[in-house]
Amino acid sequence: MRLNIVKRLLSLVLVPVITISTVAVNFTSYAIAGVEASNAEPAKNEYQIVSPVPSGSSIEPITQPARLDTLKGKKIALVGGSFSASVTHAVIRDMLETEFGCITYYMTDEIGKSGTYNPNSVSDKSKEFQKKLKDYGIDAVISGNCGCGICTVKETGNGLAAEYAGVPAVVVGAEAFIPQIESTGYNRGVPVVRTAHYPGAFASDTTEEQQRKAHEILYPQIVAALTTEITQEEIDRIAGAVAGVNHDDIVFTGSYERVQQFYEVNEMSDGLTVVPPTREKIEYYLKYTTYAATDIVNLRNGEVQDVPPANRKIYAYHVAANAIMAGCPPEYMPLCIAITRCFANGNFYKSLASTHGWTPYVLVSGPIARQLGFSYEDGMINEEANKLLGRFVSLAMLNLAGYKIKENRMGTFGYMLPFAFAEDEQTCLDIGWNPYHVEKGYDLNTSTVTCGSTLTWGNPIDVGTKEPDKVLQLLSWDVTEKQQNGLGNTNPREARMIWLTKDAAATLAKADGCSTKTGLKDTLIDTARRPLWMRTYAHYWANTGSKIHLNTTFDEHYNSIKKGASTENVERDYVLSTPVPEWLKGVVPYDTIDTTQTIEANNTGFVITGGDLSSQIQIMPGGDCCTFNVSLPRNWDTLVAQEGYSPIADYKLSQ
């Protein structure tokens, strides 16, 4: 979120000045002489608060290669492929060859591309790309086009890989995605990612308009970006968006109202009221964990695990600060720690920057869910415990992970607030199903959190029958309708979390092959199938970045998918000639049609939740999930007894 003028003026009065360089970060307080706050309160109402944001990035910045003194006769690789790059890159290639006699490598398999680049864990694909740059003697890289939250990370990754390999790069992006390009680079060790700004949106322009903008607007920026040295002013401008202090420094002192303004102005709040995190309160919260204040939470096997996009070392102290701000009671700290660990897992974070607006959620499983009162009844996500833990996720995304709306979290229509829920594990056992975390390999009485994300909310199936096979057909139909992207234009087998109320689950468990969750998944692989014609139509017309319809006919694309060709993010579709699905009989005048598989067992979860007031099923398509166990201190029962809880052993189940 970019600060407006009013906030900037307000910050001069309210906020300590933040001085940043790549070497040191300091907060300095200033008093405004003769000015008294209009809502001044007695000293006893003043709060001394700490920063909820970890200092800096875990990735050390590199010294970038010098820019080129001239482009004359240079070898230039134009790489990437998102959002009509084949159109704009072609124009730029021709102009470079004409004006400077450049030798260009235009989106060729010889050079390839890096995709997402992580300097702490460089992929084989990135290494191969960097090797090709050296083998071919490439002098500069042009990558593009950035027009969505996920593709921006990938296309910027090509530029980062080049910079790390000693090759200057420029990344082409729509204007709205320039801040994401810059922050992605900075947080991955490249102080300045040079950019070429495309005005407007690629997908909204005709091919002719894209060519004109490439010629008149992008090309001059690219030439300047590759031939002008990086300045300290550029480094300072980009670094100026990132601030940090020692974990327990007092960063502001003021009234409750001033504390709210401080966090809002400094982009440390999600816009809702926060509880002031004081040193004393944080120290008390840490007693409910197995961590000391400066223990790194995102540590695994002795190594810091990246938490994109900011890639910070996250102390338990920072987790406590955000838990307090969210209004969570101290006994939620083990859950907040486990959630923060999930942030370092790619299965959770990989989709959170997308323009499609994934909403994160947390499933709390095992005895801890029952002990702390997390709801699986009707209206569950609006119950107090569930709301507070969801609020922690909102603040953790902002302060711990570093996601900022319109900078590196790019949802076109914005995002809903994260939420939390629990599973009715006793009902699972009663009908012969394993709870979700048991399906993932955990013991029944091990407490866990599962973090995932979804693209839909509401609009469940109302089950109006007690016939198990009909319920299975309804579920199969809805699976084919609710996919990761609208209309299902990308991978039809992407992850789903499927909620079932108690009544719906009990009926479904009686269907042939569905007596276990594993059996239900296997059955859906055969029954939840979508007509290939619908799949092709969505990919052909709703995949705006590629404009497939300009390069091939619909029938050619249909047959290409049928024969096993890969499409964006999909190695292949599993197409078979099958009987017409039950819900399409009477619509399709054939006995058999080509259909594609829409579900995979390993990324589909079933959770019995939502109570027993209705018989409903809700499908939550979106990102993958990751699960971590909840670590409790040895004196847990003594600690929570002070808060009025019974021992955790009282909440264990038996199979």
Side-chain angles (χ1 to χ4, degrees), residues 450-622:
T450 297
C451 288
S453 57
T454 180
L455 284 162
T456 64
W457 178 252
N459 196 24
I461 306 170
D462 283 306
V463 178
T465 175
K466 288 290 186 179
E467 295 183 40
D469 289 342
K470 290 300 179 186
V471 178
L472 177 62
Q473 289 169 13
L474 292 173
L475 173 58
S476 299
W477 180 10
D478 208 34
V479 165
T480 69
E481 296 291 333
K482 292 177 180 172
Q483 303 187 38
Q484 184 192 68
N485 288 353
L487 302 180
N489 64 342
T490 55
N491 189 351
R493 303 185 304 279
E494 277 288 1
R496 295 175 181 84
M497 184 71 80
I498 299 176
W499 294 355
L500 307 102
T501 61
K502 182 177 180 178
D503 183 77
T507 303
L508 189 59
K510 298 173 184 176
D512 290 343
C514 300
S515 59
T516 66
K517 287 183 179 179
T518 300
L520 174 56
K521 294 173 190 177
D522 292 340
T523 301
L524 285 173
I525 290 173
D526 295 329
T527 60
R529 300 191 65 86
R530 191 183 199 204
L532 179 59
W533 191 90
M534 295 174 68
R535 155 72 171 138
T536 305
Y537 192 93
H539 190 256
Y540 191 77
W541 291 109
N543 196 348
T544 55
S546 298
K547 295 192 174 181
I548 299 168
H549 61 281
L550 298 178
N551 303 310
T552 187
T553 68
F554 181 90
D555 287 344
E556 289 171 341
H557 196 50
Y558 180 100
N559 288 320
S560 176
I561 295 176
K562 182 176 180 178
K563 293 176 182 178
S566 63
T567 56
E568 286 82 359
N569 303 312
V570 190
E571 183 177 350
R572 57 166 293 193
D573 280 67
Y574 294 103
V575 179
L576 296 173
S577 179
T578 67
V580 173
E582 289 292 322
W583 54 91
L584 290 177
K585 289 181 177 178
V587 177
V588 177
Y590 308 104
D591 294 327
T592 61
I593 57 172
D594 293 333
T595 60
T596 184
Q597 181 180 323
T598 62
I599 197 167
E600 284 185 355
N602 62 358
N603 62 1
T604 303
F606 297 90
V607 178
I608 300 179
T609 193
D612 57 3
L613 295 184
S614 59
S615 184
Q616 291 186 331
I617 301 171
Q618 180 161 315
I619 296 175
M620 314 286 282

Side-chain angles (χ1 to χ4, degrees), residues 221-247:
Q221 294 181 70
I222 289 170
V223 173
L226 293 177
T227 58
T228 305
E229 286 301 331
I230 293 171
T231 66
Q232 188 62 46
E233 287 76 14
E234 286 180 275
I235 296 173
D236 292 343
R237 177 183 64 79
I238 295 173
V242 183
V245 294
N246 292 329
H247 72 281

Side-chain angles (χ1 to χ4, degrees), residues 62-83:
I62 65 170
T63 299
Q64 292 180 250
R67 304 303 98 169
L68 304 175
D69 55 357
T70 179
L71 295 182
K72 187 175 182 180
K74 300 297 185 182
K75 294 183 177 180
I76 311 292
L78 297 95
V79 301
S82 301
F83 284 88

Side-chain angles (χ1 to χ4, degrees), residues 18 132 186 204 214 225 245 257 291 293 308 311 319 323 338 395 558 570:
I18 303 170
K132 290 292 181 63
Y186 182 86
S204 299
V245 294
E257 288 78 8
Y291 288 75
N311 301 308
V319 178
L395 291 173
Y558 180 100
V570 190

